[in-house]
Amino acid sequence: MNRLLTVLRCTVAATLLVTISGCKTAVSAKPIGPTFAIQPPLGLPPLSIPPENPPTVASIALGRALFYDVRLSNDNSISCATCHNPVLNFTDGNKVSHGFGGHVGVRNAPPIVNAAYLRLQFWDGRAASLEEQAAFPISNPVEMNQSHDISVAKLAKDPEYAALFNKTFGPGGVTLQRIENALASFERTVLSGDSAFDRYLFRGERDALTPSQIRGFRIFIDTKRGNCSTCHTVNDTYALLTDGKAHNIGVGAGDAGAFSDMGRYPQTKADADRGAFMTPSLRDVARTAPYMHDGSLKTLKDVVDFYAGGGNSNPYLDKEIRTIVLSAQDRQDLVAFLESLNGTPPANVGPPKTVR
Amino acid sequence: MKLQRFAVPSLLAVMSLLGCKLAEKSASPAATPIQPAVQYFKVDEAHVGTIKGTIRFAGKKPVAKLIDMSEDPACVEAHKGKAYDESLVVSRDGSVANAFVYIEKGFEGKTFEAPTTPVMIDQRGCWFRPRVMGIQTGQPLQVVNSDPVTHNIHPMGTVNREWNHSQGPGDEPILRKFPKTEVMIPVKCNIHSWMHTFIGAVDNPYFAVSGDDGSFTLPKLPPGTYTLAVWQEKLGTLKQQIEVTEGHDSVASITYKGQ
C-alpha cells in the first residue's frame, strides 16, 4: 500500500514537473527568506552549512517542533527527543536505546549536540549529513517504525503544520526532504561550547580549570602519556574533540578479534574498519553516561581505566591504542579534565510551547 | 578465510588452478573430511595408580617483601590488610607452595578430551587468585573481577596468542581458551603493576599446584613411565622419571637446592 502510494505520487509528480531526479526533489526543499547566521559558542569553529539548506528562523523553529513531535512514530509514542532528551544532554541515558514497542536497539544513543560538525553521522558513519541522517530513525523498525509516506501524510493532515511548511519552504506542503532539512537546521543550533576548558584554552582564563584539570589536560594532549588528542583533537583556535574518523579501540572485542558489531566495516569493507567506530566528541561527556557505542562503560573513570590498560587486544586495534602508564592520580586528573568539557547549554532547544 | 586456507594447503594447491575465488568458496565445506574425528584417550579407572609428592627448598627461606599498592588507594582498601610478594612461598620446614607439577612426557600419541568446567581466575583485592594454576588445553578459562576497580588482564603467551582485556567492576566474566601446551604463561594486569599470576596449559589432565605444605597429588594415572616436571616461578624447572604401577602410590620427593 505504502509502496503503491509512493509510486503513484512519484508518477504524478514526475508527469507534472517532468523531472527525472525523483520524487524527493519535485518540490523545493530550500527554505525561503533571510538566512539565520548561527553563532557557534567559544571553542567551536564556524559551521559549514550545505548551500541547499540555509537555516532560517522559520526552518529552525519547524525543525524544533518536528524533533519533539511523536507523530513521526508509528504509534505516536516516540519522538527524536525520546532518545535524544534535552534533560539528558540529548541522550537517553540508557546503555543502548529503547525504541518502538520497547524494542531494544544495539547501540548507545549519542548526543546530537555538535553533530552539526560531523562529516559522517552515526557510530559507523553511514550517513553523510544531518539531512540524510534524519530519515533513518523515523523508518527504523526498532526506533520510530513509520514509513516516510505515513509521516508525511500524518503531518500534512494538520493544517497548522501544512501552513508552517509552506511558510518555511514555499508552496508544496509537507515532504520528506523538507522534514529532513528542517530537522537538520534545528540540530545545527544545538551546539555546546564555552566550557571551563574553552575559557582556559581559548580565552586565557588561567583559573577556569583546577590544578588537577590542568594536569589532566597535559596528559590528554601528551602523545607519550594519554595520547588522547591524537583522536579527540584540539586545534589552535577550536576543539571539536573528534577527528571525524573511525578507529578500533577494542570496545566490544571478543576472543581472537570477533566482534558482535563490526562498526564501520560494512560501510567500507576495509579490514582496518572491523570493529572501528567514529570517534565521539568529548564535549559535555560528563553528562552523557554510559559510554561507547555499546554503552558498556558506566563512568568516565571506567573509560580512563579502559584506556590505561590498553583496551582490549584484537587484530584490528588502532596502533594509537597501547598500554599507557598512568598512576591512579594521573587517571583521576584525566577524569577531572573530562569534566571540564561541560559546555554552556544552548538556548531555545527544548520542547517548543506551540506544538505538542 | 585466511585461517581456513592455512588449514587446507594441499587442497588449495590443487584448487589454485581453478582460481582464487573458487578456492576460497570451496575451502570451508571441503575442510571437514580432511580432519578425521578425534579419538579421545579414555583412562581405564579400574587400573590406575597415583603420584604423590612434596616439593622442598633447601636454601635460605626468603623474606616476604611487602607490596606497595599506595599508588591506587582503591586497591589498598580493597585488599584489606597487607599484601606480600608471593613469587617464592616457603614454609618454615622448607615446603614450597605454588609450584606447578605436571606430566611432561608419557602420553605421546594420546589425546585427552578437554573438560568443559572452567578454571577460574578471580581479581580480588587487586590480586590475582590463585597465584599459579593449571589448565588443560582447550579447557575454558573464566576471569572474573570482584573488585571495585577496572583491571586489564594480560596473559603473555608466546606459544599461545598473547591478549589483554579490560574488565570493569561488575563486568561479565571473560571466557578464553589456550589451545596449545605452554608452561608457563605469565599473566599481568596492565593497570596494576604488582599483579601477577601464572597459567600452565597442558594437553593432559595430570597437573597440580603444590599446597602450603608443599604436597601435591596426581591421581588416576594409567600405569607407565612418565616424566614429571615441576616449575617454580623463582626456582625454575626440575624433571624426573617416575614409574606408575596399578593400585600404588608412587612417591616423588623433589628438592630445589639453594644457591
Side-chain angles (χ1 to χ4, degrees):
Chain A
M1 180 63 194
N2 298 342
R3 265 270 177 81
L4 198 66
L5 262 173
T6 323
V7 172
L8 265 176
R9 225 178 272 146
C10 271
T11 325
V12 172
T15 26
L16 283 182
L17 299 160
V18 203
T19 170
I20 46 155
S21 49
C23 198
K24 258 188 166 181
T25 50
V27 171
S28 167
K30 187 171 177 174
I32 52 177
T35 300
F36 176 78
I38 299 168
Q39 293 298 335
L42 180 69
L44 294 180
L47 270 176
S48 88
I49 286 168
E52 57 292 352
N53 186 25
T56 64
V57 171
S59 73
I60 293 167
L62 177 58
R64 183 174 169 189
L66 291 167
F67 192 83
Y68 290 94
D69 199 323
V70 292
R71 279 175 289 181
L72 288 180
S73 71
N74 181 307
D75 59 355
N76 298 336
S77 70
I78 296 169
S79 71
C80 307
T82 305
C83 303
H84 305 288
N85 184 345
V87 174
L88 299 169
N89 208 71
F90 292 91
T91 68
D92 58 12
N94 292 320
K95 194 169 184 288
V96 293
S97 31
H98 305 239
F100 180 76
H103 279 91
V104 179
V106 292
R107 290 186 184 155
N108 178 263
I112 58 149
V113 181
N114 295 353
Y117 290 100
L118 302 178
R119 205 172 42 82
L120 297 170
Q121 302 289 328
F122 289 121
W123 284 108
D124 54 12
R126 69 186 181 282
S129 67
L130 283 174
E131 280 80 359
E132 192 188 321
Q133 188 281 332
F136 282 82
I138 301 175
S139 59
N140 186 335
V142 301
E143 296 194 326
M144 301 162 98
N145 189 27
Q146 178 160 278
S147 80
H148 296 315
D149 299 307
I150 306 259
S151 296
V152 170
K154 267 161 90 175
L155 298 183
K157 254 201 307 212
D158 179 338
E160 206 183 324
Y161 252 135
L164 271 177
F165 273 86
N166 287 343
K167 189 184 118 199
T168 307
F169 297 101
V174 184
T175 69
L176 177 62
Q177 181 74 61
R178 287 177 167 193
I179 295 174
E180 291 173 355
N181 282 4
L183 279 169
S185 291
F186 165 66
E187 290 174 292
R188 290 200 172 92
T189 67
V190 187
L191 302 179
S192 169
D194 198 17
S195 64
F197 158 73
D198 295 304
R199 292 191 289 275
Y200 172 83
L201 193 63
F202 301 120
R203 203 183 276 150
E205 290 178 19
R206 314 193 87 220
D207 54 2
L209 297 187
T210 65
S212 168
Q213 288 173 329
I214 294 171
R215 288 196 301 272
F217 176 50
R218 296 213 178 105
I219 296 168
F220 190 86
I221 56 174
D222 187 338
T223 51
K224 294 204 178 62
R225 301 185 73 200
N227 193 31
C228 314
S229 62
T230 300
C231 301
H232 301 284
T233 47
V234 177
N235 291 54
D236 289 344
T237 53
Y238 62 88
L240 287 178
L241 296 156
T242 167
D243 60 358
K245 295 185 185 137
H247 302 274
N248 174 321
I249 66 164
V251 175
D255 200 358
F259 283 88
S260 55
D261 187 337
M262 289 294 263
R264 186 138 177 79
Y265 177 73
Q267 312 300 317
T268 64
K269 297 282 190 290
D271 265 345
D273 282 334
R274 287 179 193 267
F277 294 85
M278 301 300 291
T279 308
S281 170
L282 300 182
R283 288 190 170 274
D284 296 329
V285 75
R287 299 175 179 145
T288 64
Y291 302 106
M292 303 300 175
H293 73 272
D294 56 1
S296 58
L297 299 178
K298 293 182 230 35
T299 65
L300 285 178
K301 183 178 187 303
D302 292 349
V303 173
V304 168
D305 289 348
F306 174 86
Y307 282 109
N312 298 330
S313 61
N314 72 82
Y316 314 103
L317 189 67
D318 196 286
K319 64 174 180 4
E320 296 296 342
I321 300 293
R322 48 188 179 244
T323 309
I324 46 185
V325 182
L326 297 177
S327 70
Q329 181 65 51
D330 293 340
R331 304 202 296 274
Q332 204 175 312
D333 292 341
L334 210 38
V335 171
F337 167 68
L338 293 174
E339 284 165 351
S340 78
L341 299 172
N342 279 350
T344 308
N348 304 319
V349 295
K353 295 199 175 58
T354 45
V355 187
R356 66 177 161 126
Chain B
M1 270 303 155
K2 247 185 203 143
L3 269 176
Q4 283 164 354
R5 266 198 235 169
F6 280 122
V8 283
S10 54
L11 183 74
L12 202 75
V14 179
M15 289 295 221
S16 60
L17 285 173
L18 307 172
C20 188
K21 269 273 155 55
L22 188 60
E24 269 186 4
K25 269 204 188 123
S26 336
S28 46
T32 340
I34 288 179
Q35 287 178 351
V38 183
Q39 285 291 318
Y40 290 118
F41 174 67
K42 285 268 176 322
V43 177
D44 175 4
E45 296 200 2
H47 305 281
V48 288
T50 295
I51 299 177
K52 282 197 165 168
T54 48
I55 298 160
R56 296 188 178 280
F57 177 54
K60 211 176 126 238
K61 185 178 171 326
V63 182
K65 254 192 10 231
L66 199 61
I67 299 286
D68 180 11
M69 297 187 187
S70 59
E71 182 273 302
D72 196 337
C75 285
V76 175
E77 196 175 318
H79 197 82
K80 300 191 177 75
K82 288 179 175 161
Y84 290 97
D85 174 40
E86 289 178 337
S87 56
L88 177 56
V89 178
V90 181
S91 72
R92 204 172 296 166
D93 67 352
S95 310
V96 178
N98 287 345
F100 183 67
V101 187
Y102 67 106
I103 300 292
E104 191 205 36
K105 281 196 189 115
F107 290 119
E108 286 67 32
K110 299 190 173 74
T111 307
F112 290 89
E113 189 168 10
T116 51
T117 40
V119 170
M120 301 270 287
I121 296 185
D122 190 6
Q123 299 165 107
R124 186 156 40 88
C126 294
W127 210 248
F128 286 121
R129 295 157 203 266
R131 172 74 172 201
V132 174
M133 77 205 76
I135 193 166
Q136 201 174 317
T137 49
Q139 181 177 11
L141 170 76
Q142 181 171 349
V143 184
V144 298
N145 181 5
S146 310
D147 276 334
V149 301
T150 299
H151 292 296
N152 195 302
I153 188 167
H154 185 171
M156 295 169 284
T158 50
V159 179
N160 288 285
R161 183 167 43 81
E162 180 174 358
W163 55 268
N164 70 282
H165 207 89
S166 182
Q167 198 173 30
D171 276 2
E172 298 269 291
I174 301 167
L175 281 172
R176 289 295 149 91
K177 288 176 182 172
F178 298 96
K180 296 181 192 129
T181 296
E182 186 169 5
V183 179
M184 303 289 282
I185 302 165
V187 181
K188 67 176 179 180
C189 171
N190 277 353
I191 301 176
H192 304 103
S193 59
W194 60 83
M195 288 174 67
H196 298 282
T197 183
F198 293 84
I199 301 173
V202 181
D203 63 3
N204 68 63
Y206 301 100
F207 50 81
V209 176
S210 63
D212 288 342
D213 61 354
S215 74
F216 69 90
T217 308
L218 300 178
K220 294 183 187 168
L221 274 150
T225 306
Y226 299 101
T227 303
L228 182 74
V230 182
W231 170 95
Q232 203 287 332
E233 197 179 324
K234 279 278 150 72
L235 305 175
T237 304
L238 294 178
K239 292 179 190 180
Q240 75 175 56
Q241 281 238 332
I242 191 156
E243 191 77 25
V244 172
T245 49
E246 187 180 328
H248 286 92
D249 287 355
S250 308
V251 176
S253 295
I254 293 148
T255 302
Y256 283 101
K257 294 193 185 73
Q259 282 98 340

